Amino acid sequence: MTRKYVLRLTLCFLIISVFFTELTIYADKGRPYYEETGEVVWDINTEDKIIALTFDDGPHPKYTAAILDVLAKYDAKATFFIIGKNAEKYPELVLRSYSEGHELANHTYSHPFNVSVAELQKELRQTKGIINSITGFSPVLFRPVGGNYNDQMINAAVKDGYKVVMWSWHQDTQDWKQPGVKKITQKVLKGSKPGDVILFHDGGGDRTQTIKALEEIVPELKKQGYTFVTISELIESKQQQEQVQ
C-alpha cells in the first residue's frame, strides 16, 4: 500500500512538473527564440547604415500631416502603425502615407492595453480591412499596444499572416511623455546605430515635440550617411545578408 502511494505521488509530481515547465515555455519564449524564428523583430544586426523610423497611434490630422511633410523634405521613408478607428476618421492621411512610399502597419482598431486573443484577432482583422479599403494594401506587420505581448498573441498574429514588430530597446524616445525636444533628439542621435528601429508617436496626444525633434534628427542622421527605410525593407536587407553568408 505504501509502495503504491509513493508511486502515485511520484507520478503526480512528474505530471505537474512537466505541466508547469511547458506552461513556462509557452508563457514567454523570450527574445532569442522569436528572433531565431523571425516571428518578432526588434532591430537587425547590420553594417549598412540603414535605420527604420516608426510611428504609433495615428493618423492624426495635424501631427501625421506635419510628420509626412518632414519626411518628404528629406526623402525619408517610415512605417506607420495605424489605429483602425483613427484611419476611419482620416482616410486621406492613410492614403497620403501610402502614396508617398511609407509602409502601413497594424496597431489594432481601438488601442486596447488588455485584450484576449479572440479580441486581438478581431481588432487586427478590422483594421486590416479598413487600411485595405482605403489603399488596396493589406498590412503584414503588427505592433502590440504598449509593446505588451504574450506567446498566444504572437501565435495568433503569425497565424493571421503578420510579423510582430517591436523596437530597439535603446531607441524608445518616450515622446508620449513630452520630455522636451532636446531629450528626444539626444536620445536618438546618441544611440543611433545601423539596423535600429526607432519608436515615435504621431497620435495619442500632443506630438509637437516629436515633429520639432524630427526636424533635427533626420537631417543630422542623413549627414552621417544614414538612409531611412521601412520595416519591410529592413527585414529584406537582413535576409539578403543571410543569403550572402
Side-chain angles (χ1 to χ4, degrees):
M1 189 74 178
T2 304
R3 185 179 178 184
K4 286 183 178 180
Y5 176 78
V6 171
L7 287 172
R8 287 177 181 173
L9 189 64
T10 302
L11 183 60
C12 288
F13 176 76
L14 288 172
I15 292 172
I16 291 170
S17 296
V18 170
F19 173 77
F20 277 107
T21 298
E22 290 182 352
L23 184 63
T24 301
I25 292 171
Y26 188 69
D28 183 14
K29 292 174 181 174
R31 177 170 174 170
Y33 171 84
Y34 283 118
E35 286 188 319
E36 182 66 26
T37 63
E39 294 172 343
V40 186
V41 175
W42 281 265
D43 46 37
I44 69 166
N45 184 22
T46 181
E47 293 182 1
D48 295 335
K49 299 192 79 172
I50 53 177
I51 278 181
L53 304 174
T54 67
F55 298 89
D56 287 9
D57 299 353
H60 184 281
K62 178 180 179 180
Y63 305 121
T64 303
I67 287 169
L68 288 170
D69 288 344
V70 175
L71 297 175
K73 181 179 179 180
Y74 296 103
D75 192 26
K77 295 298 179 276
T79 302
F80 290 86
F81 288 86
I82 290 173
I83 293 176
K85 65 179 183 180
N86 291 341
E88 284 181 324
K89 294 177 183 176
Y90 312 109
E92 69 283 355
L93 284 170
V94 176
L95 185 58
R96 179 186 169 187
S97 300
Y98 181 71
S99 299
E100 293 183 2
H102 304 292
E103 184 162 22
L104 308 182
N106 202 321
H107 197 45
T108 73
Y109 178 79
S110 64
H111 203 261
F113 282 96
N114 295 304
V115 64
S116 68
V117 171
E119 290 169 337
L120 173 64
Q121 289 179 309
K122 181 181 178 182
E123 294 234 349
L124 289 178
R125 291 167 187 172
Q126 192 172 4
T127 298
K128 178 180 180 179
I130 293 166
I131 292 173
N132 181 263
S133 69
I134 297 169
T135 65
F137 169 78
S138 293
V140 294
L141 306 176
F142 158 60
R143 175 172 281 162
V145 174
N148 298 317
Y149 70 86
N150 56 40
D151 293 341
Q152 297 97 318
M153 291 171 64
I154 292 176
N155 291 341
V158 170
K159 185 178 179 181
D160 275 5
Y162 289 95
K163 189 179 290 288
V164 180
V165 180
M166 302 298 284
W167 56 85
S168 302
W169 284 341
H170 61 286
Q171 287 288 22
D172 181 354
T173 64
Q174 296 190 348
D175 58 341
W176 58 274
K177 292 182 178 179
Q178 299 186 52
V181 175
K182 185 176 181 180
K183 283 191 176 181
I184 296 172
T185 303
Q186 289 181 340
K187 174 81 172 179
V188 175
L189 294 181
K190 286 184 177 180
S192 290
K193 61 181 180 24
D196 277 356
V197 175
I198 306 175
L199 173 62
F200 296 100
H201 294 78
D202 63 323
D206 187 339
R207 300 295 170 241
T208 304
Q209 292 182 3
T210 302
I211 296 162
K212 290 181 178 179
L214 281 171
E215 289 170 344
E216 297 182 32
I217 291 167
V218 176
E220 177 56 35
L221 288 179
K222 287 203 74 170
K223 285 181 184 178
Q224 294 178 23
Y226 281 98
T227 299
F228 300 97
V229 299
T230 66
I231 292 293
S232 286
E233 289 173 334
L234 195 74
I235 293 169
E236 184 180 354
S237 173
K238 179 184 179 182
Q239 292 171 340
Q240 290 175 347
Q241 288 181 35
E242 290 173 346
Q243 290 173 359
V244 171
Q245 295 173 353

